[in-house]
Amino acid sequence: MRLKGKHIVLGITGSIAAYKAAYLLRGLVKEGAEVQVVMTPAAKEFITPVTMSALSGKPVASEFFTANDGTWHSHVDMGQWADLMVIAPATAATIGKMAHAVCDNLLITTYLSMKSPVMVAPAMDLDMFRHPANQKNIEILRSYGNMIVEPREGELASGLIGKGRMEEPDVIIEEIVKFFDRKKKLLNKHFLVTAGPTFERIDPVRFIGNHSSGKMGYAIAESLADSGALVTLVSGPVTVKTNHPNISVVKVMSADEMYRQCVVAFPGTDGAVMCAAVADFTPENTANQKIKRGADDLVIRLKPTPDIAAELGKMKTDKQVLVGFALETQDELENALRKMKKKNLDFIVLNSLNDPGAGFGVDTNKITIIDRNNIQQNFELKSKSEVAADIVDKILEVIAGK
Ligand code: C5P
């Protein structure tokens, strides 16, 4: 009973793989989960609500109202009740509607009201699956933090062979169990994360900044928080936001402000992930008034900022984990290794501006993790939330070895 007491909303859409949703539901109930089924109108053409309500022990939700008495089926209530929403099978049409908030059925309104994470298991013909429109929609779902259970290669309902078969119910159940296990892994742990750029003031209106969007740091904070940790997120000026209940955001502007917040927060934590793109130099003097244009060149003298990661590296105890990032444009591995040692990091995450899809502003990243034992792990191009999950897995490995 690995899912005892868990509340799961199971969304079913109109695919031939809908029959597998019955096995999935049976397996979830066997594992102790309480399951509320939501079906799209098309799903009912493939499998009956009677089967699903008998297996779940609950009426199936499908229409906004019950026709004969007008009872309202609240997608908002389902969104608050669930610990997880699983949409299996998910058709190309449903994936498209989820990506673009097209709320023409109860499943989509439930998805938009969902407070919990969402797992999606696509099922469709191979050409539909690989069509750029569908691939783009899947990428959009990933960028919302949804977990995608990749379909398998194999025989499809059309008779064609290729990628598009919904993953088998027992594999989806293992993914669900893993998801809930992960939520407990860092319970009672506390982490510090830095994110975003720093702005170094030149005068009241101008600053020296950089292109960091903060997306990677926020994704790491959310992934740590999803694993049960409390997170202090010291963030430079960014537009990304988080509403995660386990994250407290401390907003700062300059490297010096970030430094001061970090040295205070770090001693109480189990570790820190230094994801911020901290300015290395700051103006020696900030002008009180806006600097006026003159005939001469303007010279601004810069002084070095504190290296926050290196300072925390000096403060670090044997039990604390310290993770840094390296964004390099040349001699990537050597530079990353040197930084890991200099800053006393447990591991360093290397991302290169030379990799398409990696770096500033984008929703994806491609990383290499290098640790103190010189073990290098190269990862594929993934969404920043999936990259964050890989980094959290590495943190768990390092903690286990301490
Ligand atoms: O030395 P470099 O800036 O390339 O090192 C990058 C790593 O050090 C990142 O983890 C970054 O967050 C951290 N760093 C810092 N304080 C600085 C400069 C970098 O914490 N002043």
Side-chain angles (χ1 to χ4, degrees), residues 194 274-276 278-280 305-309 324-326 328 339 343:
T194 65
M274 314 308 288
C275 197
V278 187
D280 289 322
T305 55
D307 187 330
I308 308 169
F325 272 72
E328 303 294 337
K339 276 179 196 171
K343 301 184 192 221

Side-chain angles (χ1 to χ4, degrees), residues 6 40 43 72 78 100 109 111 197 239 243 282 351 382:
K6 299 295 180 218
T40 61
W72 162 245
M78 281 194 273
H100 302 285
T109 51
Y111 167 70
T239 52
N243 295 319
T282 191
N351 42 34
K382 294 181 180 189

Side-chain angles (χ1 to χ4, degrees), residues 175-396:
E175 287 296 316
I176 295 170
V177 169
K178 255 197 258 166
F179 161 78
F180 282 110
D181 281 352
R182 215 169 35 237
K183 271 180 77 161
K184 291 183 276 185
K185 290 248 163 81
L186 290 171
L187 215 58
N188 302 322
K189 301 274 185 212
H190 185 180
F191 282 87
L192 167 68
V193 177
T194 65
T198 63
F199 285 180
E200 309 302 320
R201 297 170 181 90
I202 296 171
D203 68 16
V205 291
R206 301 183 182 95
F207 58 82
I208 298 170
N210 62 67
H211 291 300
S212 172
S213 64
K215 286 180 180 171
M216 194 62 244
Y218 275 64
I220 289 172
E222 296 213 323
S223 189
L224 287 166
D226 282 343
S227 305
L230 291 177
V231 180
T232 302
L233 174 59
V234 180
S235 168
V238 291
T239 52
V240 275
K241 290 191 168 60
T242 176
N243 295 319
H244 202 295
N246 283 15
I247 302 178
S248 7
V249 181
V250 181
K251 282 267 188 172
V252 296
M253 188 70 87
S254 65
D256 200 49
E257 285 165 33
M258 188 173 270
Y259 168 76
R260 279 184 275 136
Q261 292 293 341
C262 288
V263 289
V264 171
F266 186 60
T269 66
D270 297 279
V273 183
M274 314 308 288
C275 197
V278 187
D280 289 322
F281 294 95
T282 191
E284 208 166 58
N285 297 301
T286 302
N288 289 330
Q289 304 299 333
K290 186 176 169 195
I291 300 171
K292 293 267 183 289
R293 177 197 286 269
D296 295 335
D297 294 350
L298 173 67
V299 176
I300 300 172
R301 205 180 156 76
L302 304 176
K303 62 177 182 190
T305 55
D307 187 330
I308 308 169
E311 285 304 317
L312 301 193
K314 286 184 208 151
M315 295 165 68
K316 190 177 92 163
T317 65
D318 292 347
K319 293 276 166 226
Q320 284 178 305
V321 186
L322 187 59
V323 181
F325 272 72
L327 179 75
E328 303 294 337
T329 51
Q330 57 187 26
D331 302 329
E332 302 167 332
L333 282 172
E334 298 89 287
N335 280 326
L337 266 170
R338 190 175 42 75
K339 276 179 196 171
M340 176 171 68
K341 294 198 176 121
K342 185 174 152 227
K343 301 184 192 221
N344 193 20
L345 308 172
D346 290 276
F347 66 90
I348 192 155
V349 181
L350 171 66
N351 42 34
S352 160
L353 272 185
N354 301 329
D355 283 318
F360 294 124
V362 292
D363 292 321
T364 48
N365 202 0
K366 187 169 183 301
I367 61 161
T368 301
I369 292 181
I370 308 157
D371 69 14
R372 300 294 288 204
N373 304 324
N374 235 329
I375 295 174
Q376 273 178 38
Q377 289 168 273
N378 294 301
F379 294 84
E380 308 276 288
L381 183 73
K382 294 181 180 189
S383 71
K384 284 189 173 167
S385 60
E386 289 169 310
V387 171
D390 290 334
I391 293 169
V392 171
D393 283 345
K394 184 71 186 179
I395 290 175
L396 287 164

